[in-house]
Amino acid sequence: MKPKIFVTRRIPQPALDRLSGEFEIELNEADRVLTKEEILKGTKNCDVLLCLLTDTIDEEIIKVNPKLKGIANYAVGYNNIDIEIATNLKIPVSNTPGVLTQTTADLTWSLILSVSRRIVESDCYAREGKFTGWGPMLLLGNDIFGKTLGIIGAGRIGTAVAERAFGFKMKILYTDNKINKNIETNLGATKLELNELLGQSDFITLHIPLNEYTNHLITKNELKLMKDSAIIINTSRGQIIKEKDLIKALQDNEISGAGLDVYEFEPKISKGLKKLKNVIILPHIGSATIETRTAMGMLATNNAIAMVKGKKPENIVNPQIYKKTDSKESA
Ligand code: GLV
Ligand code: GLV
């Protein structure tokens, strides 16, 4: 019998083609998120689970199949998987880092430009037939060139966002647990404490993973520290911002705008956000290019193949499972 890989939703064909022949693929052919029951059923009968960020892979799912050889997530973020449980059971989990870095940085910049120059609002205005000629006060936005960009999380994506800011001659500030020598030396970036960065930046952009420390990192207190002309961009995970507080800050003009690709209650987008003109709301398309989604598929299938064969996948998220000197489950 061929080893079986359960793919919870269609991903680009070249990635699926890599699996065919040597492996049996169980694929969700419907273009929708599977229910928990469906994921349980598929996971029970497979060797490796290839899942998406919209699949919540909890303890029950991970434990449904004692022979499960791995979980390959088709995303760089892996907050949808209970990593602690997988690690305790010595089940490898992989993600797709690197390949979506530039694509996500591009989308971040699309939002920076679009919010500050009121692009979506202007397009609607023109389509609605309201454009009767050039106007000296028509749809004035704000400059980007020469302003201050505050990057929260200077990892791969944060760095790629900073590189683009160089062309706009922006002052670059960042927060991170580590010093990022590359952007300090090459782009003149300065590392600050979060509160200082919030107070000094014209644009604030989030590039950190969601975890217990970053959940609700941005609440009304942080929003109060921002300039009233500040624009906040989120292409990471929605739960990092307390959405209720963001809506209030936008309504009260405590900040000037927001560009969002992700939501606290995703896929639900709070009504309050949809009513605001100074917000651009996108349906989580950070990595959505043909090239990048194909590359993510290749990484995810490579990782899945390694795990089927009992090898360490290239993009392992919980490498500690391979440590021999492991003491009892203490995490
Ligand atoms: C997208 O949000 C990802 O984590 O890949
Ligand atoms: C994610 O890929 C990051 O490190 O920014």
Side-chain angles (χ1 to χ4, degrees), residues 65 86 93 127 130 163 174 189 198 217 219-220 250 252 274 277:
N65 178 359
V93 177
R127 278 172 206 272
K130 292 181 184 160
E163 283 164 355
Y174 76 99
L198 295 175
L217 182 74
T219 65
K220 60 174 180 288
L250 286 161
D252 297 350
K274 292 192 215 164
K277 278 216 169 130

Side-chain angles (χ1 to χ4, degrees), residues 146-150 170 200-204 227 229-232:
K147 294 283 177 71
T148 299
L149 177 66
M170 292 177 100
Q200 295 180 28
S201 301
D202 299 302
F203 297 89
I204 293 157
K227 297 181 182 181
S229 57
I231 288 172
I232 186 166

Side-chain angles (χ1 to χ4, degrees), residues 76 96-98 100-101 153-159 207-208:
V76 64
T96 61
L100 46 70
T101 301
R156 287 168 296 234
I157 299 172
T159 298
H207 302 289
I208 44 178

Side-chain angles (χ1 to χ4, degrees), residues 127-186:
R127 278 172 206 272
E128 285 164 10
K130 292 181 184 160
F131 180 48
T132 55
W134 183 89
M137 301 303 283
L138 181 63
L139 288 159
L140 305 188
N142 284 104
D143 277 336
I144 299 138
F145 186 90
K147 294 283 177 71
T148 299
L149 177 66
I151 298 175
I152 300 178
R156 287 168 296 234
I157 299 172
T159 298
V161 169
E163 283 164 355
R164 285 155 178 73
F166 191 73
F168 286 85
K169 300 233 183 331
M170 292 177 100
K171 180 171 172 191
I172 302 168
L173 308 175
Y174 76 99
T175 64
D176 204 285
N177 299 330
K178 294 181 289 213
I179 292 175
N180 184 326
K181 272 244 158 54
N182 167 21
I183 62 170
E184 291 198 1
T185 310
N186 298 318

Side-chain angles (χ1 to χ4, degrees), residues 85-329:
I85 294 290
T87 302
N88 286 343
L89 293 169
K90 302 236 182 303
I91 296 174
V93 177
S94 64
N95 67 341
T96 61
V99 293
L100 46 70
T101 301
Q102 303 303 334
T103 307
T104 307
D106 285 347
L107 189 85
T108 303
W109 267 92
S110 309
L111 284 171
I112 292 174
L113 295 165
S114 303
V115 176
S116 45
R117 296 304 301 272
R118 302 172 65 180
I119 297 297
V120 173
E121 210 185 328
S122 295
D123 179 274
C124 291
Y125 182 90
R127 278 172 206 272
E128 285 164 10
K130 292 181 184 160
F131 180 48
T132 55
W134 183 89
M137 301 303 283
L138 181 63
L139 288 159
L140 305 188
N142 284 104
D143 277 336
I144 299 138
F145 186 90
K147 294 283 177 71
T148 299
L149 177 66
I151 298 175
I152 300 178
R156 287 168 296 234
I157 299 172
T159 298
V161 169
E163 283 164 355
R164 285 155 178 73
F166 191 73
F168 286 85
K169 300 233 183 331
M170 292 177 100
K171 180 171 172 191
I172 302 168
L173 308 175
Y174 76 99
T175 64
D176 204 285
N177 299 330
K178 294 181 289 213
I179 292 175
N180 184 326
K181 272 244 158 54
N182 167 21
I183 62 170
E184 291 198 1
T185 310
N186 298 318
L187 308 175
T190 307
K191 184 170 181 289
L192 291 182
E193 291 303 314
L194 178 64
N195 286 355
E196 291 176 286
L197 176 143
L198 295 175
Q200 295 180 28
S201 301
D202 299 302
F203 297 89
I204 293 157
T205 182
L206 300 168
H207 302 289
I208 44 178
L210 174 65
N211 56 42
E212 58 186 304
Y213 307 106
T214 62
N215 187 49
H216 284 180
L217 182 74
I218 305 295
T219 65
K220 60 174 180 288
N221 301 327
E222 289 70 34
L223 288 156
K224 279 208 165 54
L225 296 175
M226 297 178 194
K227 297 181 182 181
D228 55 14
S229 57
I231 288 172
I232 186 166
I233 306 292
N234 191 5
T235 58
S236 57
R237 285 292 181 268
Q239 295 92 323
I240 294 170
I241 302 179
K242 194 166 177 190
E243 207 158 277
K244 196 171 115 237
D245 292 358
L246 174 66
I247 293 167
K248 183 90 178 26
L250 286 161
Q251 283 168 342
D252 297 350
N253 298 313
E254 276 183 33
I255 64 169
S256 124
L260 306 173
D261 190 38
V262 290
Y263 306 89
E264 183 170 2
F265 309 105
E266 202 170 312
K268 202 171 146 266
I269 301 175
S270 301
K271 264 208 208 91
L273 282 177
K274 292 192 215 164
K275 284 195 193 134
L276 291 163
K277 278 216 169 130
N278 52 347
V279 181
I280 292 183
I281 49 181
L282 300 180
H284 203 151
I285 55 167
S287 63
T289 66
I290 295 165
E291 297 93 328
T292 289
R293 287 286 164 84
T294 304
M296 286 166 66
M298 292 310 213
L299 277 193
T301 47
N302 279 344
N303 289 324
I305 291 170
M307 293 189 285
V308 166
K309 297 183 171 168
K311 292 191 196 135
K312 183 168 160 179
E314 187 170 338
N315 309 111
I316 184 82
V317 162
N318 53 351
Q320 61 271 40
I321 65 164
Y322 295 103
K323 290 223 177 80
K324 291 245 158 51
T325 52
D326 205 23
S327 59
K328 291 272 154 347
E329 287 161 17

